[in-house]
């Protein structure tokens, strides 16, 4: 009688020798019955809850071809732990006239299928519950529940009992800077696809080698993707979803858990991005998703991003319609081209428009009143930061005194013979804290803050002069473009005497109006420079405002 042997073990944590041990026991049973051992089938490191195992599937295929007369295994749970699968396997072998014999149970009957199948299913359920409980305990201690997040390194330390700690992480400085760059670029208007392309072009390795748009954007509901991972904010969120196995494909399918089942722990030492940067990204994500109209149909082109500096912001000063790209390098009135109801036939070259606006901005921003306003705001912020640094130094000095006092008390206790192993860990932690506080104190000056920066005017002029360069530099283009577009709500192109006069509308116009003299604003031709709202905006005047260049 030809007997086939099947052996399996579940995880990589088990010894590979388990297969040979099972083979040895099965051959002993075969020899005892006077049978002949033929094929052997095995699956290493594969769960018995799945039937998608190479060795198991080959066993089924050879059974259909009558390659053997009996199946021998150490136990029924080695063949499968799923009730449905083990019942199907039993029916298939019974149809082929092939008995199933195990070392533990003997020849398998319907009774074994019912009882052992139920016991195996209960075992899997109990194992899942215990695993889930253990992972939750680790998360509540601020440790990782498995895997490693981009931006962090695994920390392996030896504990007091000699065991190696698991679940600890620390920030990877190089990767954390990439994370902050991704958040900044997205908040400044770059798409996830463009961010991924830039990172790949620069040869920066991603979590799985190369970067993709889905790696960056992910799924906001499930908290996946770089931009949705709250661990970068110093919050560890676990149990957002559970996994169920599809009975047809055998693949795991994610199902979201209700928020009340989530486990959330604060881990401030793992924070990478600031609150302001996080909220800026969330705001843009919300705006991107909020593109549906009342009937649920998405407006075509609503989420299309601007290809050029002022795309989508240009309007015709005659009809109020949009100004669009009418050629490869020119802008013109869309109403005149599409409907013919506007008399404005003028066009303007895109590069000329951008140069005129930027040149006009540089000229207006160098007005003495604006330089004075910049110096005032700069000095206020400089003094505020200097004051906070002094407060931080004072707090560090007080904390250092407390730490040194605790160290002295521990040393006195050890000297008096009151030593315990936990004292060593405490003393090590205090010494590390002492070194950290000393570094903080040494890095801050005890001199009073300078109340007047000597070169503020020169700094301001240099930044304004480099405005065009910043908008052309790939490293700063996204941020500079985002700032300018955020300060402007509209750019009107008004045809006058065969050429365009440009009017800026928005907060930036209000800022420029601060630099216009009263005499200039009193002239009729400069009426568009006056402010046209009663809502006060601190530091910039009124909003919205219109300014003519």
């Amino acid at each position: 009688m030809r007997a086939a042997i099947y052996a399996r073990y579940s995880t990589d944590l088990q010894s590979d020798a388990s297969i040979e041990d099972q083979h040895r026991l099965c051959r002993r049973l075969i020899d005892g019955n006077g049978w002949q051992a033929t094929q052997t089938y095995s699956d290493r490191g594969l769960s018995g809850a799945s039937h998608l195992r190479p060795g198991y599937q080959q066993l089924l295929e050879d059974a259909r071809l009558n390659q053997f007369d009996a199946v021998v295994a150490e136990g029924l749970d080695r063949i499968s732990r799923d009730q449905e699968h083990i019942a199907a396997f039993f029916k298939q072998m019974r149809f082929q006239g092939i008995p199933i014999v195990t070392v533990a149970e003997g020849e398998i009957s319907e009774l074994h299928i019912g009882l052992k199948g139920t016991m195996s299913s209960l075992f899997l359920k109990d194992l899942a519950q215990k695993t889930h409980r253990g992972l939750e305990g680790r998360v509540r201690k601020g440790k990782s529940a498995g895997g490693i997040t981009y931006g962090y390194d695994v920390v392996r330390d030896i504990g007091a009992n000699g065991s190696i700690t698991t679940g600890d992480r620390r920030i990877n400085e190089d990767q954390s800077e990439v994370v902050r760059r991704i958040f900044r670029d997205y908040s400044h208007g770059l798409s996830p696809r463009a961010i991924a392309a830039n990172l790949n072009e620069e040869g920066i390795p991603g979590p799985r080698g190369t970067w993709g748009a889905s790696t960056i954007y992910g799924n906001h509901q499930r908290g996946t993707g770089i931009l949705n991972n709250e661990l970068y904010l110093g919050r560890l969120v676990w149990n957002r979803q559970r996994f169920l196995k599809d009975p047809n494909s055998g693949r795991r399918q994610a199902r979201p858990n209700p928020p009340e089942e989530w486990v959330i722990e604060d881990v401030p030492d793992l924070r990478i991005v600031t609150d302001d940067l996080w909220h800026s990204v969330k705001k843009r994500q919300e705006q991107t998703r909020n593109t549906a109209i009342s009937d649920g149909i998405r407006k075509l082109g609503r989420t299309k991003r601007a290809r050029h500096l002022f795309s989508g912001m240009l309007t015709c000063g005659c009809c109020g319609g949009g100004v669009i790209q009418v050629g490869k390098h020119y802008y013109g009135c869309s109403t005149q081209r599409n409907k013919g109801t506007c008399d404005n036939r003028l066009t303007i070259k895109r590069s000329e428009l951008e140069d005129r606006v930027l040149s006009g901005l540089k000229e207006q921003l160098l007005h003495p009143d604006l330089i004075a306003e910049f110096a005032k705001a700069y000095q206020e912020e400089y003094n505020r930061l200097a004051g906070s640094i002094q407060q931080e130094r004072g707090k560090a000095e007080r904390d250092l005194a407390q730490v040194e006092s605790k160290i002295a008390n521990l040393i006195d206790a050890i000297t008096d013979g009151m030593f315990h192993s936990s004292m060593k860990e405490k003393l090590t932690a205090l010494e590390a804290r002492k070194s950290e506080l000393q570094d903080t104190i040494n890095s801050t000056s005890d001199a009073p803050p300078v109340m007047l920066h000597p070169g503020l005017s020169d700094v301001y002029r240099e930044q304004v002069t480099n405005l065009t360069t910043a908008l052309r530099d790939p490293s700063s283009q996204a941020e500079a473009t985002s700032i300018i577009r955020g300060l402007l709500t509209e750019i009107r192109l008004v045809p006058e005497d065969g050429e365009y006069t440009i009017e800026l509308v928005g907060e930036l116009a209000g800022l420029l109006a601060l630099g216009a003299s009263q005499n200039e604003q009193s002239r009729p031709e400069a009426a568009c420079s006056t402010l046209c709202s009663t809502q006060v905006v601190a530091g910039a005047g009124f909003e919205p405002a219109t300014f003519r260049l």
Side-chain angles (χ1 to χ4, degrees):
M1 192 168 179
R2 300 169 301 170
I5 298 174
Y6 180 79
R8 177 189 65 81
Y9 67 87
S10 300
T11 68
D12 293 334
L13 298 178
Q14 293 179 266
S15 171
D16 190 61
S18 173
I19 296 294
E20 283 67 29
D21 293 340
Q22 294 177 48
H23 283 171
R24 185 176 62 254
L25 292 175
C26 292
R27 286 194 181 94
R28 187 178 302 168
L29 185 148
I30 292 172
D31 294 341
N33 286 289
W35 301 340
Q36 177 187 358
T38 56
Q39 294 94 329
T40 59
Y41 306 87
S42 59
D43 289 303
R44 290 172 165 81
L46 296 175
S47 171
S50 172
H51 67 289
L52 300 178
R53 291 170 271 147
Y56 178 79
Q57 292 296 327
Q58 188 62 49
L59 175 68
L60 288 173
E61 181 65 23
D62 290 350
R64 298 186 187 98
L65 299 175
N66 294 316
Q67 297 291 322
F68 49 80
D69 304 315
V71 176
V72 179
E74 181 189 26
L76 190 60
D77 56 357
R78 295 299 90 196
I79 297 176
S80 179
R81 287 188 180 275
D82 185 274
Q83 286 178 296
E84 178 186 1
H85 297 160
I86 193 61
F89 181 80
F90 178 77
K91 290 174 65 177
Q92 180 68 29
M93 295 302 106
R94 189 174 184 179
F95 175 76
Q96 297 291 338
I98 299 174
I100 305 171
V101 183
T102 67
V103 176
E105 297 94 4
E107 185 171 350
I108 301 302
S109 65
E110 289 84 350
L111 182 63
H112 292 96
I113 297 299
L115 292 177
K116 294 292 290 187
T118 301
M119 292 174 61
S120 295
S121 295
L122 291 175
F123 169 80
L124 290 177
K125 183 178 180 181
D126 183 61
L127 179 63
Q129 290 176 342
K130 290 180 178 179
T131 302
H132 190 274
R133 181 188 64 194
L135 292 176
E136 181 177 350
R138 289 169 57 137
V139 171
R140 293 195 180 278
K141 294 179 181 179
K143 296 179 179 291
S144 171
I148 185 64
T149 304
Y150 184 84
Y152 303 93
D153 291 327
V154 176
V155 178
R156 302 292 190 190
D157 291 329
I158 300 178
N161 59 355
S163 62
I164 298 178
T165 61
T166 58
D168 293 326
R169 292 165 292 191
R170 63 166 170 258
I171 295 176
N172 181 306
E173 296 301 332
D174 293 336
Q175 293 182 0
S176 64
E177 184 55 39
V178 176
V179 171
R180 283 187 284 267
R181 169 183 170 176
I182 292 173
F183 273 79
R184 286 195 300 267
D185 287 350
Y186 183 80
S187 67
H188 293 147
L190 264 68
S191 68
R193 190 184 302 274
I195 296 173
N198 292 338
L199 293 173
N200 290 329
E201 184 178 355
E202 296 175 25
I204 299 176
R208 292 180 177 84
T210 59
W211 291 93
S214 60
T215 304
I216 295 173
Y217 199 79
N219 187 309
H220 74 283
Q221 293 178 332
R222 296 181 178 179
T224 59
I226 296 289
L227 297 176
N228 301 310
N229 193 338
E230 295 189 43
L231 187 58
Y232 298 134
L233 195 61
R235 296 177 72 231
L236 178 58
V237 182
W238 180 75
N239 202 37
R240 283 180 178 267
Q241 56 190 9
R242 65 189 184 279
F243 292 91
L244 301 176
K245 187 169 293 185
D246 187 334
N248 295 321
S249 65
R251 298 179 180 273
R252 297 198 312 164
Q253 299 291 331
R255 295 289 186 272
N257 288 329
E260 55 269 18
E261 295 184 7
W262 297 358
V263 178
I264 303 176
E265 293 293 330
D266 290 331
V267 282
D269 56 316
L270 298 180
R271 174 192 282 266
I272 289 180
V273 301
T274 63
D275 288 336
D276 291 341
L277 185 55
W278 175 270
H279 293 313
S280 176
V281 167
K282 295 297 110 177
K283 181 179 179 181
R284 187 182 169 214
Q285 284 182 318
E286 181 66 24
Q287 292 173 345
T288 302
R289 291 192 297 267
N290 190 23
T291 57
I293 56 178
S294 58
D295 60 357
I297 301 176
R298 292 185 178 274
K299 287 187 176 180
L300 183 63
R302 175 75 69 85
T303 59
K304 186 177 181 180
R305 294 173 178 84
R307 295 182 57 187
H308 304 295
L309 179 58
F310 299 125
S311 296
M313 305 180 67
L314 306 175
T315 60
C316 175
C318 293
C319 65
V323 172
I324 61 174
Q325 196 165 338
V326 296
K328 187 175 181 179
H329 301 291
Y330 286 86
Y331 286 127
C333 177
S334 62
T335 305
Q336 195 280 328
R337 289 184 62 85
N338 298 329
K339 299 180 180 180
T341 57
C342 180
D343 297 331
N344 179 16
R345 296 178 177 273
L346 285 178
T347 60
I348 184 171
K349 198 172 184 179
R350 174 168 55 82
S351 58
E352 178 187 349
L353 170 66
E354 293 178 357
D355 289 341
R356 284 181 59 185
V357 172
L358 295 178
S359 299
L361 288 178
K362 287 194 292 185
E363 179 181 351
Q364 297 296 329
L365 287 172
L366 289 175
H367 193 282
D369 291 345
L370 291 181
I371 296 178
E373 186 70 21
F374 167 80
K376 178 182 176 182
Y378 185 100
Q379 193 61 54
E380 289 176 353
E381 180 65 12
Y382 183 87
N383 291 336
R384 186 189 67 79
L385 293 175
S388 64
I389 292 174
Q390 294 302 312
Q391 292 178 359
E392 181 181 355
R393 177 186 175 90
K395 184 178 183 301
E397 290 175 343
R398 293 191 296 271
D399 291 345
L400 179 60
Q402 294 179 358
V403 170
E404 290 177 338
S405 176
K406 292 179 180 179
I407 292 175
N409 292 337
L410 279 176
I411 294 176
D412 291 342
I414 294 174
T415 304
D416 294 338
M418 299 174 59
F419 177 75
H420 189 272
S421 58
S422 61
M423 287 181 162
K424 181 179 178 181
E425 298 179 8
K426 184 67 174 177
L427 189 59
T428 301
L430 288 173
E431 288 290 350
R433 178 59 176 162
K434 177 182 176 181
S435 177
E436 179 183 344
L437 292 172
Q438 286 176 337
D439 291 341
T440 300
I441 294 172
N442 294 335
S443 63
T444 57
S445 174
D446 56 356
V450 178
M451 300 308 295
L452 182 62
H453 194 287
L456 284 182
S457 298
D458 295 336
V459 171
Y460 180 83
R461 289 188 177 90
E462 181 182 357
Q463 294 298 324
V464 173
T465 303
N466 293 334
L467 178 61
T468 305
T469 304
L471 288 167
R472 299 288 186 265
D473 185 1
S475 62
S476 59
Q477 183 181 32
E479 182 176 4
T481 301
S482 175
I483 292 174
I484 288 186
R485 291 179 65 90
L487 292 174
L488 291 174
T489 58
E490 181 183 350
I491 299 178
R492 297 174 188 158
L493 301 183
V494 183
E496 290 185 0
D497 300 330
E499 63 179 15
Y500 276 124
T501 298
I502 302 173
E503 295 180 357
L504 306 182
V505 181
E507 295 181 18
L508 185 56
L511 177 63
L512 296 176
L514 291 176
S517 65
Q518 296 295 328
N519 292 333
E520 290 174 336
Q521 294 187 16
S522 63
R523 296 200 309 268
E525 61 271 19
C528 61
S529 299
T530 59
L531 307 176
C532 52
S533 177
T534 57
Q535 180 181 0
V536 177
V537 179
F542 300 91
E543 180 196 20
T546 305
F547 195 87
R548 174 169 292 188
L549 295 175

